[in-house]
Amino acid sequence: MKRTLSALCKNEPGVLAKMALECEKYDANILSLAAGETENPKVSRIVLCVDGNDEAIDEVERYLDSLDVVIQIDDLSRKDFVDRELVMIKVGMDREQTGQLMQIFEVFRANVVGMGQKTITVELSGDQERVDGLIKMLIPYGIKSMCRSGMIALKRGDE
């Protein structure tokens, strides 16, 4: 089962490594991991999208919550949340395909950020479904390289 954990942590060396090792210990596969400073430079938010059985992920969550560097941890999968991911994709193109590709980019509201003789590079920010949709549409054109940021997420509302 896929779950999304969001942890506020002290912004210190080694925190991310401890979290990743704990996932491995309980056989929870990290699908994506994003970390960055919050509005307070002494605090980072780490968003882990993990896959595994519920018991294993519950154990990971309990352990992470017990670490002295973890201020707060939330299982966003059990709450209403908003998520985003950034993807950059370099896709092959020729003159005949340029119009079709531009239409796809327009539908997904993807931005062209680079262009070569044989490739075009676009960026897209959106939820995982939107990112996956763009990738699926571009596969027939030949994806040359791609980089995904991993999911970032926050609870909706006033919490």
Side-chain angles (χ1 to χ4, degrees):
M1 171 153 209
K2 187 170 113 174
R3 303 241 304 263
T4 303
L5 305 176
S6 174
L8 290 175
C9 304
K10 293 177 184 175
N11 193 0
E12 297 177 359
V15 173
L16 199 58
K18 284 180 188 177
M19 295 178 106
L21 284 171
E22 196 58 28
C23 289
E24 180 187 23
K25 186 162 92 174
Y26 288 101
D27 203 27
N29 184 35
I30 298 173
L31 301 173
S32 80
L33 186 147
E37 285 184 357
T38 65
E39 66 283 358
N40 179 348
K42 294 181 180 181
V43 177
S44 290
R45 180 177 304 276
I46 299 173
V47 178
L48 287 156
C49 187
V50 293
D51 188 28
N53 68 55
D54 281 335
E55 296 80 26
I57 297 172
D58 288 343
E59 284 297 318
V60 168
E61 184 179 359
R62 276 192 287 280
Y63 175 79
L64 296 178
D65 196 32
S66 74
L67 294 174
D68 62 337
V69 293
V70 175
I71 299 163
Q72 176 185 343
I73 190 160
D74 282 313
D75 184 347
L76 296 180
S77 308
R78 297 179 175 155
K79 301 180 182 197
D80 191 20
F81 70 97
V82 61
D83 65 286
R84 291 293 179 266
E85 183 177 6
L86 173 68
V87 64
M88 292 183 8
I89 305 170
K90 184 180 288 188
V91 63
M93 71 161 193
D94 56 37
R95 283 195 174 137
E96 296 80 41
Q97 296 173 325
T98 305
Q100 295 168 327
L101 285 169
M102 292 303 187
Q103 286 178 338
I104 292 170
F105 302 155
E106 188 176 325
V107 166
F108 283 89
R109 287 173 286 186
N111 299 310
V112 175
V113 294
M115 193 172 248
Q117 296 292 322
K118 299 177 184 175
T119 62
I120 188 167
T121 304
V122 296
E123 68 177 3
L124 173 72
S125 171
D127 60 26
Q128 195 170 14
E129 192 174 276
R130 187 167 162 214
V131 169
D132 289 342
L134 177 63
I135 293 167
K136 183 177 177 182
M137 291 298 294
L138 295 179
I139 287 172
Y141 294 92
I143 294 175
K144 303 299 182 191
S145 62
M146 179 173 77
C147 183
R148 294 176 82 156
S149 66
M151 182 195 318
I152 58 171
L154 288 174
K155 290 183 277 187
R156 288 190 188 270
D158 295 333
E159 282 188 71

